[in-house]
């Protein structure tokens, strides 16, 4: 009995250590600011990338423009219209939705593609993750990126994820936003309203 309990405690400890290491990897990758041209060819032309993602998703991008970030720095950004699915939430009247944001350090290229799933109706969370998994697979294929074998399961199980090679990162991370006048790009500093909670799962493809 004591041995079984010890093994269980050890297993919990190892899982906690693994989760903590992954969280550190994700945060480190998120904070990487690369001002050099991207290694990924698909990211080297802004308009071509926008067209590729639109053809793949039928979601239309805004213009590529410079934005002031809350910390005082600047980024180039564009985001798409959103696709909504499922039933309206009884709490806030909104459906779950999904859309793209692209970000760049310079005007001439993109450093990062985000596929953002906003959970407005928690009762249909699993269906929303199914939509994200499909969009993720299609997006990676359109960018000529081989999908990691374990990514789909991580999406469907609502888990964080980290993958890295010589050219790019693939990250899956969750955020909760309690913001009034919600801004999809999550770049600008907005007025807080704790009565409105939006859980966002973000698939990030970041070029090195």
């Amino acid at each position: 009995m004591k041995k079984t309990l010890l093994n269980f405690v050890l297993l919990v400890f190892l899982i906690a250590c693994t989760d903590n290491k992954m969280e550190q990897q994700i945060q480190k990758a998120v904070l990487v600011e690369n001002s050099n041209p991207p290694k990924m060819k698909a990211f080297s032309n802004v308009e071509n990338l926008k067209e590729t993602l639109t053809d793949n998703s039928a979601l239309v991008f805004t213009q590529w423009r410079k934005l002031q970030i809350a910390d005082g720095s600047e980024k180039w950004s564009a985001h798409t219209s959103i696709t909504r699915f499922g039933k309206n939430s009884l709490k806030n009247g909104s459906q779950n939705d999904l859309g793209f944001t692209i970000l760049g350090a310079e005007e001439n290229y993109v450093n990062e593609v985000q596929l953002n799933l906003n959970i407005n109706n928690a009762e249909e969370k699993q269906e929303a993750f199914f939509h994200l998994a499909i969009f993720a697979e299609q997006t990676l294929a359109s960018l000529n990126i081989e999908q990691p074998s374990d990514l789909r399961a991580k999406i469907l199980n609502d888990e964080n994820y980290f993958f890295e090679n010589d050219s790019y990162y693939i990250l899956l991370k969750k955020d909760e936003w309690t913001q009034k006048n919600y801004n999809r790009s999550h770049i600008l500093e907005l007025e807080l309203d704790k009565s409105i909670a939006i859980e966002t799962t973000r698939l990030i493809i970041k070029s090195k």
Side-chain angles (χ1 to χ4, degrees):
M1 180 66 178
K2 289 183 178 180
K3 185 176 181 181
T4 301
L5 179 60
L6 180 61
N7 288 339
F8 175 75
V9 171
L10 181 59
L11 177 61
V12 171
F13 175 75
L14 290 175
I15 292 174
C17 289
T18 301
D19 290 345
N20 185 55
K21 181 179 179 181
M22 179 176 291
E23 183 64 27
Q24 290 176 351
Q25 289 174 317
I26 290 172
Q27 292 303 322
K28 182 178 179 181
V30 166
L31 293 173
V32 169
E33 292 290 348
N34 188 358
S35 58
N36 297 318
K39 293 184 178 180
M40 293 177 62
K41 184 178 179 180
F43 283 35
S44 62
N45 186 300
V46 177
E47 295 305 317
N48 285 352
L49 177 60
K50 288 167 63 177
E51 184 176 341
T52 296
L53 295 175
T54 294
D55 289 345
N56 178 63
S57 65
L59 300 177
V60 179
F61 274 91
T62 60
Q63 289 188 339
W64 183 241
R65 61 193 181 96
K66 187 184 292 186
L67 292 179
Q68 186 78 27
I69 314 303
D71 63 6
S73 61
E74 294 179 337
K75 278 187 182 295
W76 286 83
S77 174
H79 63 271
T80 63
S81 54
I82 59 174
T83 179
R84 296 183 175 89
F85 42 86
K87 298 178 182 179
N88 294 332
S89 168
L90 296 177
K91 292 184 177 180
N92 57 41
S94 298
Q95 297 169 273
N96 294 328
D97 63 63
L98 188 151
F100 287 99
T101 298
I102 58 175
L103 300 168
E106 301 291 341
E107 182 178 4
N108 297 325
Y109 53 80
V110 174
N111 296 105
E112 182 175 327
V113 171
Q114 297 181 2
L115 179 56
N116 300 315
L117 170 67
N118 299 306
I119 304 295
N120 298 300
N121 186 354
E123 293 183 0
E124 296 194 343
K125 182 182 287 190
Q126 196 57 47
E127 179 187 350
F129 289 138
F130 180 72
H131 280 274
L132 178 60
I134 293 174
F135 265 76
E137 182 176 354
Q138 294 173 342
T139 299
L140 292 171
S142 72
L143 298 175
N144 295 317
I145 297 175
E146 182 177 355
Q147 176 166 309
S149 59
D150 52 348
L151 177 59
R152 180 180 175 86
K154 295 294 185 181
I155 293 174
L156 296 178
N157 291 330
D158 190 18
E159 298 179 29
N160 286 343
Y161 181 76
F162 175 87
F163 174 86
E164 177 184 12
N165 65 17
D166 291 339
S167 299
Y168 56 83
Y169 303 97
I170 297 177
L171 315 172
L172 192 65
K173 67 186 295 289
K174 292 172 288 185
D175 296 301
E176 183 171 290
W177 302 87
T178 52
Q179 295 178 327
K180 189 176 181 179
N181 301 325
Y182 175 69
N183 181 288
R184 186 158 314 283
S185 67
H186 301 242
I187 293 175
L188 304 180
E189 185 175 2
L190 303 174
E191 180 183 355
L192 294 180
D193 181 356
K194 293 185 178 180
S195 66
I196 301 175
I198 300 172
E199 179 184 327
T200 297
T201 296
R202 205 192 314 268
L203 175 71
I204 299 173
I205 307 161
K206 193 166 187 175
S207 184
K208 292 186 174 180

